[in-house]
Amino acid sequence: IGKVFPAYNPATGEQICEVQEADKADVDKAVQSARVAFSLGSVWRRMDASERGRLLSKLADLVERDSVYLATIESLNSGKPFLPTLFLDLQGTIKTLRYFAGYADKIHGTSIPMDGDYLTFTRYEPIGVCGQIIPWNFPLMMTAWKLGPAIACGNTVVLKPAEETPLTCLYMAALVKEAGFPPGVINILPGFGPTAGAAIASHMGIDKVAFTGSTEVGKLIQEAAGKSNLKRVTLELGGKSPNIIFADADLDLAVEQAHQGVFFNAGQCCTAGSRIFVEEPIYDEFVRRSVERAKRRIVGNPFDPTTEQGPQVSREQQNRVLGFIQSGISEGAKMECGGKALGLKGFFIEPTVFSNVKDDMRIAREEIFGPVQLIMTFKTIEEVIERANNTDYGLVAAVFTNNINKAMTITTAMQAGTVWINCFNALSTQCPFGGYKMSGNGRELGESGLKEYSEVKTITMKMVTKNS
Amino acid sequence: MIRTVFSRSLPRLSRPPACHYSAGAIPEPCSQPEVHYDKLFINNQWEDAASGKTFPTINPATGEVICQVAEADVADVDKAVKAARDAFRWGSPWRRMDASHRGLLINRLADAIERDSAYLAELETLDNGKPYAISYTVDLPTVVKCFRYYAGWADKWEGKTIPIDGDYFCYTRHEPIGVCGQIIPWNFPLLMQAWKIAPALATGNTVVMKVAEQTPLTALYVASLIKEVGFPEGVVNILQGMGPSAGAALARHMDVDKLAFTGSTEVGHLIQQASGSSNLKKVTLELGGKSPNIILSDANMEDAVEQAHFGLFFNQGQCCCAGSRTFVQADIYDEFVERSVERARRRVVGNPFDLKTEQGPQVDQEQFNKILGYISSGKREGAKLMCGGGVAADRGYFIQPTVFGDVQDNMTIAREEIFGPVMQIMKFKTLEEVVTRANDTKYGLAAAVFTKDIDKASYVSNGLRAGTVWVNCYDVFASQAPFGGYKSSGNGRELGEYGLDNYTEVKTVITKVPQKNS
């Protein structure tokens, strides 16, 4: 009751402000509110689907109106460089909300020619009260990825932002109210995983939980759902994604894309291309160019327009990444550049490149989530396919080649939810995104995203006589 | 079973027309809105006709000329088609645009129309004669919703990847067809424009639209908004002109890839023939109807009477889907007729800018004469004129709400589309009989059934050969629901996801792969 926790600026390590801390009692209250908003006959249940879409559209307009402010707070609280945040994160957030706004009245069931004298059709109904737990690496975008489909399908939501980055999500809540959503439809609770997050995952009054975060916590969520009410679970978890560079690739393109693919967002992307497999003939040149590019990477104040890389989000993350770097050194990988914390304040790390990485090293198997690039070499396509798939993860993969046959072969063979050809991190709200294996289950975005937020009801009515 | 006429409790609830508007929310209209645009709209520019010709557009409430507008003919159609073809060229801004951005532009257009809806409703009422209260509360909001609906589809119209036999990777692309000719009628000028251009633009086509000569003004104003919100030049081109000249030129044009026409069945035949004798352009047609409205004896009487009244008389009877054959089950027939007549007598005919008016004038002299001709034929052929039957004012094209009882299926008024405020009420005994009689027409646009019985509702709705069947309601439209005709009422469906099919070419791409795996 009345507990607060601090929100930090990771570029300086200083506290920005304090935020109310939600715990189990608050989750109960929010769930109750969401349940009432979802009751049969409520304003939200009676609303035209197209009107739900209008509300999402209005929210997008408001986010656009306040995008400079939101980008500023996002940058301050997460350490992401301001300009990319404004142009990528904010635009991605707005476009995602607009995309799902357009879907609200296009979620179709079917009428079905079943055997017998029956009239049969399906309705796609909202599931009910959805718990949503989001991470700190793309706070606003993750909010939009979660709210968009849930609301388009008519659900009500209890959303917990990451404790590291609650601020922009709370501002979004104010915009939700300004847009005119009925009370209780969207509820936002800042708090910690083991308390508020766990309360959501095990709540008997929540019908579905969607979680984006680490695989470690994803497993806990799935267990909690099984132990409680078998709530539907979708998970977007970690990755150790392979980026495969063939000798016939456009080398400049491949080097730059591989660089951005691992260093973007200070390496804090579930999609990070963190195992770069380079075909032997171009390996040395590729390493040389990658090191040169990494040395050129500008790390600094997120509000400096030339900055490419800000701090890691917290001291804990910084220490974790530095720990991985140490393990790389001690296991015998060759550290080509970087390797140290940067500066006295904040949680900065130098862009770090390892070559001569062996598949069984810790740095090659576990998700680092920091600015650490690993470059390995391969000889044949069959070999690289096997090695790329030799992981419990399966979120994304990429291949750089000019050869259409190699591209087709790799894309079919990869056990990954998204495969990129001659590009990396090309994501868009229209495309389903999600993981094979322990990178998660279910897909977000695109039409696929709607499936996870609907319950299908089949209605069969006896007819006097059926005719085709 | 004989139902006594006075079994209902009085006083009857005075129910507003089914459009359900609250008169307090409608701004007082200006009855002489200024006309800003009277030229042809080609390549985002305003052009005189190549011939310099103009023609007048008339205010049907007074018969007076509103203004002259440029008259498009063959040369202007050529120019517009060239502009649309250029806007569609490989690598053009329109072809390179993200689908989601097409959607954004359509949404901006919806916003602009919403912003100017009071003015557009005035202009629509001035040019078409429909009551302002309805232009403002029904036509305009429906137009805005239609654009917003299709804006949402732009980046969601997906092809498939397909597991074909052999070592191949196969997918389909949903591509735009190309240059689409669109010819729209005068009964819902703004709405018909929206139904046509929204799906065409969402799917990435370019458009040459010929608007009805009776009602060009609102479409031209919307053209200015199309330019304002940022559509690239040539994507939408709007031409006002006559059917036999400009319309025919579009229908037989060798460089138009598709033609969409809404209008009479008579002209629909000509359009289809023109396609066959030119370049086999894809054709979709929304034509006429003689839609049956079937009232069973267990229907809610008050509801059925009001809906049947609305279903026929709405928009001065000028609806392709008008419920113009009202079949009433024998045991409630007399009461139904009496109540329908009473309701028709109460229908307020008058100045369209008066907010109390329910019915304005017919759109022009030609329609006016045609309808009076049908009324005469009804009397001649022995139908019983229960009320109305004549001219309602001494200027403009107003006709009294007219009801015929004892109509036989073979009478002209029971077979041909009148397109005016003339209601036909016929009697039936059994369900099987009425479904057969209802289907006994070359048309098949819409139909309705009023009943409380779950089995009868599904039996009748499944048995009627009509593109839309309403159960316990009439004229319920939504951008999300497909609409179109069986038989001579047309082919293809507009609105809904289905509406996108009409504006799409499916391309199958098959790539050889070294080794296919599932």
Side-chain angles (χ1 to χ4, degrees):
Chain A
I1 312 129
K3 267 206 307 187
V4 296
F5 68 97
Y8 291 104
N9 172 353
T12 61
E14 285 158 10
Q15 179 176 311
I16 301 169
C17 64
E18 287 181 325
V19 165
Q20 294 284 308
E21 182 184 335
D23 207 321
K24 187 172 180 316
D26 308 290
V27 170
D28 283 340
K29 195 171 170 188
V31 170
Q32 175 64 6
S33 173
R35 177 62 56 199
V36 167
F38 190 73
S39 47
L40 205 63
S42 72
V43 169
W44 187 237
R45 294 299 295 278
R46 297 269 301 120
M47 190 181 283
D48 285 340
S50 59
E51 186 56 29
R52 293 201 302 262
R54 282 297 295 147
L55 288 174
L56 274 174
S57 222
K58 278 201 196 115
L59 181 60
D61 290 345
L62 294 175
V63 171
E64 191 171 45
R65 180 193 70 191
D66 297 343
S67 49
V68 173
Y69 173 74
L70 276 163
T72 307
I73 301 295
E74 187 89 316
S75 217
L76 190 71
N77 193 199
S78 71
K80 291 144 77 68
F82 173 77
L83 280 182
T85 301
L86 183 64
F87 290 120
L88 298 173
D89 296 57
L90 263 300
Q91 282 305 304
T93 301
I94 293 161
K95 284 183 168 186
T96 300
L97 292 172
R98 288 202 170 126
Y99 178 82
F100 284 107
Y103 245 132
D105 60 354
K106 301 175 178 63
I107 299 165
H108 300 148
T110 57
S111 63
I112 303 166
M114 76 173 254
D115 289 3
D117 285 323
Y118 299 102
L119 176 63
T120 299
F121 49 94
T122 55
R123 267 172 56 87
Y124 273 62
E125 302 191 347
I127 304 182
V129 176
C130 298
Q132 305 185 315
I133 301 171
I134 61 173
W136 44 258
N137 57 347
F138 293 89
L140 273 172
M141 281 234 303
M142 294 293 100
T143 304
W145 282 30
K146 293 283 182 285
L147 290 183
I151 297 299
C153 293
N155 298 279
T156 57
V157 163
V158 175
L159 189 147
K160 185 196 90 60
E163 57 268 29
E164 293 88 347
T165 53
L167 301 181
T168 45
C169 198
L170 289 173
Y171 189 80
M172 278 275 272
L175 298 181
V176 161
K177 181 171 178 177
E178 187 183 339
F181 283 89
V185 171
I186 298 174
N187 306 276
I188 305 214
L189 305 177
F192 288 80
T195 48
I200 288 173
S202 55
H203 207 286
M204 296 298 288
I206 288 181
D207 302 300
K208 177 230 165 60
V209 64
F211 170 77
T212 297
S214 69
T215 295
E216 181 195 348
V217 175
K219 294 169 78 172
L220 297 176
I221 305 266
Q222 184 112 309
E223 275 184 76
K227 284 206 179 99
S228 57
N229 64 343
L230 283 175
K231 56 175 62 62
R232 288 101 181 80
V233 175
T234 48
L235 304 168
E236 294 280 352
L237 308 175
K240 194 67 184 178
S241 301
N243 187 357
I244 300 168
I245 323 284
F246 283 96
D248 69 345
D250 174 337
L251 197 55
D252 281 331
L253 176 72
V255 166
E256 183 60 25
Q257 289 292 306
H259 174 83
Q260 296 296 348
V262 76
F263 287 106
F264 179 61
N265 212 42
Q268 300 168 133
C269 288
C270 46
T271 57
S274 49
R275 289 181 296 148
I276 301 169
F277 292 95
V278 182
E279 199 175 7
E280 204 171 58
I282 55 162
Y283 175 78
D284 291 330
E285 181 62 15
F286 189 95
V287 171
R288 192 188 68 72
R289 293 190 193 203
S290 299
V291 170
E292 185 268 336
R293 179 62 180 94
K295 282 178 170 156
R296 266 196 294 124
R297 190 171 184 77
I298 302 171
V299 185
N301 173 4
F303 288 96
D304 183 330
T306 61
T307 293
E308 292 180 273
Q309 178 177 318
Q312 308 314 112
V313 79
S314 66
R315 177 73 70 200
E316 185 187 328
Q317 285 297 315
Q318 185 194 37
N319 285 341
R320 195 159 164 267
V321 174
L322 291 171
F324 273 112
I325 293 173
Q326 283 315 302
S327 92
I329 296 169
S330 64
E331 286 188 329
K334 182 175 175 205
M335 193 169 77
E336 302 269 353
C337 67
K340 297 190 301 301
L342 247 189
L344 296 169
K345 291 205 301 177
F347 317 124
F348 296 85
I349 296 180
E350 294 177 322
T352 302
V353 180
F354 279 103
S355 62
N356 285 345
V357 179
K358 300 284 174 275
D359 289 7
D360 55 2
M361 292 176 180
R362 253 191 86 212
I363 53 171
R365 302 212 62 74
E366 294 176 36
E367 190 179 35
I368 299 174
F369 230 62
V372 182
Q373 184 177 45
L374 313 173
I375 313 182
M376 24 270 252
T377 188
F378 73 93
K379 282 196 172 66
T380 70
I381 191 172
E382 294 78 14
E383 168 209 340
V384 77
I385 287 172
E386 207 214 301
R387 288 168 63 194
N389 283 334
N390 184 15
T391 165
D392 287 331
Y393 291 112
L395 191 55
V396 308
V399 57
F400 284 80
T401 177
N402 268 331
N403 183 293
I404 199 174
N405 288 329
K406 286 190 187 136
M408 294 274 94
T409 302
I410 296 284
T411 53
T412 306
M414 289 295 100
Q415 292 165 353
T418 297
V419 183
W420 287 302
I421 303 173
N422 293 332
C423 55
F424 206 96
N425 273 342
L427 287 170
S428 190
T429 182
Q430 302 92 357
C431 309
F433 177 83
Y436 281 45
K437 305 193 281 190
M438 292 183 82
S439 286
N441 63 54
R443 294 290 175 269
E444 292 190 291
L445 304 184
E447 186 182 9
S448 307
L450 298 171
K451 281 210 294 287
E452 317 288 1
Y453 285 96
S454 300
E455 281 286 348
V456 180
K457 172 186 285 177
T458 302
I459 300 169
T460 298
M461 182 176 85
K462 181 164 164 30
M463 281 195 61
V464 175
T465 50
K466 168 190 78 188
N467 278 258
S468 68
Chain B
M1 186 192 82
I2 298 166
R3 177 178 293 207
T4 59
V5 169
F6 298 105
S7 62
R8 305 256 150 206
S9 60
L10 296 164
R12 192 178 298 110
L13 281 164
S14 137
R15 209 180 261 201
C19 50
H20 294 305
Y21 60 86
S22 122
I26 306 170
E28 197 59 39
C30 161
S31 61
Q32 288 175 314
E34 217 183 301
V35 175
H36 300 292
Y37 304 100
D38 55 14
K39 299 193 199 226
L40 311 177
F41 183 75
I42 301 176
N43 242 358
N44 278 9
Q45 282 167 353
W46 297 102
E47 312 262 358
D48 290 315
S51 64
K53 277 202 304 182
T54 64
F55 68 95
T57 184
I58 312 276
N59 174 354
T62 61
E64 285 162 6
V65 172
I66 301 170
C67 65
Q68 295 283 330
V69 298
E71 182 181 337
D73 207 319
V74 178
D76 310 289
V77 170
D78 277 341
K79 194 168 174 193
V81 170
K82 275 202 182 62
R85 175 62 60 199
D86 193 57
F88 191 74
R89 72 186 182 281
W90 187 243
S92 72
W94 186 238
R95 295 299 295 279
R96 296 272 300 122
M97 191 181 284
D98 283 339
S100 60
H101 197 76
R102 291 201 302 263
L104 192 69
L105 288 178
I106 299 173
N107 254 321
R108 297 267 174 269
L109 180 60
D111 290 344
I113 291 172
E114 190 174 48
R115 177 195 71 199
D116 296 343
S117 48
Y119 167 73
L120 275 163
E122 288 163 3
L123 199 59
E124 188 88 315
T125 288
L126 184 72
D127 207 8
N128 165 281
K130 60 176 74 201
Y132 179 79
I134 299 189
S135 301
Y136 186 77
T137 62
V138 177
D139 293 61
L140 262 301
T142 313
V143 165
V144 170
K145 282 185 170 187
C146 180
F147 280 115
R148 290 203 170 123
Y149 178 77
Y150 279 108
W153 266 122
D155 60 353
K156 301 174 181 63
W157 183 225
E158 300 174 355
K160 306 174 194 279
T161 61
I162 304 167
I164 75 174
D165 291 1
D167 285 323
Y168 299 102
F169 173 61
C170 173
Y171 66 94
T172 56
R173 271 172 55 88
H174 284 184
E175 301 193 349
I177 303 184
V179 175
C180 298
Q182 305 185 317
I183 301 174
I184 61 172
W186 46 258
N187 57 346
F188 293 89
L190 278 169
L191 191 58
M192 293 295 99
Q193 181 185 42
W195 280 29
K196 293 280 182 290
I197 68 176
L201 296 178
T203 43
N205 295 277
T206 58
V207 166
V208 176
M209 171 172 278
K210 186 202 91 62
V211 301
E213 56 270 31
Q214 295 86 346
T215 52
L217 300 180
T218 46
L220 293 175
Y221 186 82
V222 169
S224 76
L225 300 180
I226 285 168
K227 180 175 178 172
E228 178 190 323
V229 303
F231 281 90
E233 57 190 25
V235 170
V236 179
N237 306 275
I238 311 236
L239 308 174
Q240 56 280 17
M242 306 299 158
S245 49
L250 204 49
R252 62 166 189 268
H253 205 288
M254 294 300 286
D255 203 25
V256 167
D257 302 300
K258 182 243 162 53
L259 195 98
F261 170 78
T262 296
S264 69
T265 294
E266 181 194 348
V267 176
H269 281 269
L270 298 177
I271 304 270
Q272 186 118 315
Q273 288 171 61
S275 158
S277 59
S278 60
N279 66 343
L280 282 175
K281 55 176 64 59
K282 285 107 174 78
V283 173
T284 48
L285 305 168
E286 294 278 354
L287 308 175
K290 194 68 185 177
S291 302
N293 186 2
I294 301 169
I295 323 285
L296 304 190
S297 51
D298 72 335
N300 175 319
M301 172 68 77
E302 209 177 298
D303 230 13
V305 166
E306 184 60 32
Q307 290 298 309
H309 175 83
F310 172 70
L312 187 286
F313 287 100
F314 181 61
N315 209 43
Q316 294 66 251
Q318 302 169 139
C319 289
C320 47
C321 53
S324 48
R325 288 182 295 151
T326 309
F327 290 95
V328 183
Q329 201 152 26
D331 36 4
I332 54 162
Y333 179 81
D334 290 333
E335 185 182 351
F336 189 94
V337 171
E338 184 180 327
R339 287 176 181 244
S340 298
V341 168
E342 185 274 336
R343 179 61 181 95
R345 285 198 172 115
R346 264 196 296 124
R347 190 168 185 77
V348 179
V349 183
N351 172 8
F353 283 100
D354 183 336
L355 297 182
K356 293 192 310 302
T357 295
E358 292 179 276
Q359 179 177 316
Q362 309 311 119
V363 80
D364 66 6
Q365 184 81 56
E366 186 184 326
Q367 288 297 314
F368 179 76
N369 291 344
K370 193 156 165 260
I371 296 159
L372 291 174
Y374 277 115
I375 293 174
S376 298
S377 89
K379 291 187 222 168
R380 250 192 344 268
E381 293 181 358
K384 188 168 164 203
L385 182 68
M386 309 291 298
C387 69
V391 173
D394 52 16
R395 61 172 200 155
Y397 313 120
F398 295 86
I399 295 181
Q400 294 172 331
T402 301
V403 178
F404 280 106
D406 291 347
V407 177
Q408 303 309 312
D409 291 5
N410 57 1
M411 292 176 181
T412 307
I413 55 172
R415 302 209 66 76
E416 293 184 22
E417 190 179 36
I418 299 174
F419 230 62
V422 183
M423 186 178 200
Q424 285 66 240
I425 313 184
M426 22 271 254
K427 192 187 295 191
F428 75 93
K429 285 202 172 62
T430 71
L431 277 189
E432 293 75 15
E433 167 210 341
V434 75
V435 170
T436 306
R437 287 169 62 192
N439 286 335
D440 180 23
T441 165
K442 71 176 183 181
Y443 293 113
L445 189 54
V449 58
F450 283 79
T451 176
K452 292 190 186 102
D453 187 295
I454 203 175
D455 283 334
K456 289 178 187 162
S458 70
Y459 174 82
V460 173
S461 55
N462 287 2
L464 290 168
R465 301 293 291 168
T468 297
V469 179
W470 287 298
V471 180
N472 293 331
C473 57
Y474 208 95
D475 270 351
V476 176
F477 283 90
S479 322
Q480 304 93 351
F483 179 83
Y486 282 44
K487 308 191 283 189
S488 295
S489 285
N491 63 54
R493 293 289 174 271
E494 291 190 293
L495 301 186
E497 183 179 7
Y498 296 78
L500 299 171
D501 284 320
N502 305 332
Y503 290 98
T504 301
E505 284 283 11
V506 177
K507 172 186 285 174
T508 303
V509 180
I510 298 177
T511 309
K512 179 147 173 37
V513 296
Q515 186 196 85
K516 167 192 79 192
N517 278 258
S518 66

